[in-house]
Amino acid sequence: MFFTATDQDGNFRVGPVFSVEQSTGVATLNAEAFNIAGLQELSLGEVTLGGNSASIAEFSTDPFFTANSDTVVPTQRAIKAYIEAQIGGGGASLNVNSVTAGDIFISSNVITTVENEVININSRVNFTGGITGLPLAINYMLR
């Protein structure tokens, strides 16, 4: 026999299967009471978890994240496709507009530092395309 009841604290119960604790909003569903063999799909209207939470209304396979929503969670494959699209597919080559590695900033054909500090190169450097500007002038002056 199933029944519904609300106690003096506002807690709601549907037999031994489902209950809601009014003070916390915690809902409990006894999955053992259901025969879910052969279940192909489960659809939830909305799920809210935690105190400072977002309500999840959808799981998305969109690799472009076009919804731009706090209520949509992307699947693993969607995240992988999005990241690959952003970094040029991964692998050995990475196509980006600029790179910051530590304090060194590289953009277009300019290498500088984040705070315009001196760049110290402690190894030999082989310039195959030639040198112009100040390094060339200093080299001529030292001869």
Side-chain angles (χ1 to χ4, degrees):
M1 175 162 113
F2 285 95
F3 63 91
T4 61
T6 305
D7 67 11
Q8 70 277 5
D9 296 323
N11 298 327
F12 177 74
R13 175 176 298 282
V14 178
V17 178
F18 177 73
S19 66
V20 178
E21 187 176 314
Q22 188 273 337
S23 63
T24 62
V26 172
T28 304
L29 179 64
N30 181 357
E32 292 178 5
F34 297 94
N35 180 3
I36 56 174
L39 180 67
Q40 298 296 318
E41 182 177 313
L42 178 62
S43 177
L44 301 172
E46 188 172 283
V47 177
T48 303
L49 303 171
N52 296 330
S53 61
S55 296
I56 306 304
E58 174 184 349
F59 290 94
S60 173
T61 59
D62 175 17
F64 304 108
F65 291 8
T66 53
N68 192 22
S69 172
D70 285 336
T71 64
V72 177
V73 176
T75 63
Q76 182 179 12
R77 183 171 294 171
I79 293 170
K80 179 181 182 283
Y82 177 80
I83 291 171
E84 284 179 346
Q86 297 304 307
I87 62 171
S93 70
L94 178 63
N95 302 319
V96 295
N97 295 329
S98 63
V99 174
T100 303
D103 290 335
I104 306 296
F105 179 72
I106 303 169
S107 178
S108 183
N109 63 346
V110 176
I111 300 174
T112 185
T113 62
V114 176
E115 297 181 10
N116 290 320
E117 298 286 328
V118 173
I119 299 173
N120 295 315
I121 302 173
N122 297 327
S123 300
R124 292 174 50 115
V125 179
N126 182 18
F127 294 96
T128 58
I131 300 173
T132 61
L134 187 59
L136 183 61
I138 291 173
N139 188 40
Y140 282 130
M141 187 178 80
L142 293 176
R143 287 184 179 192

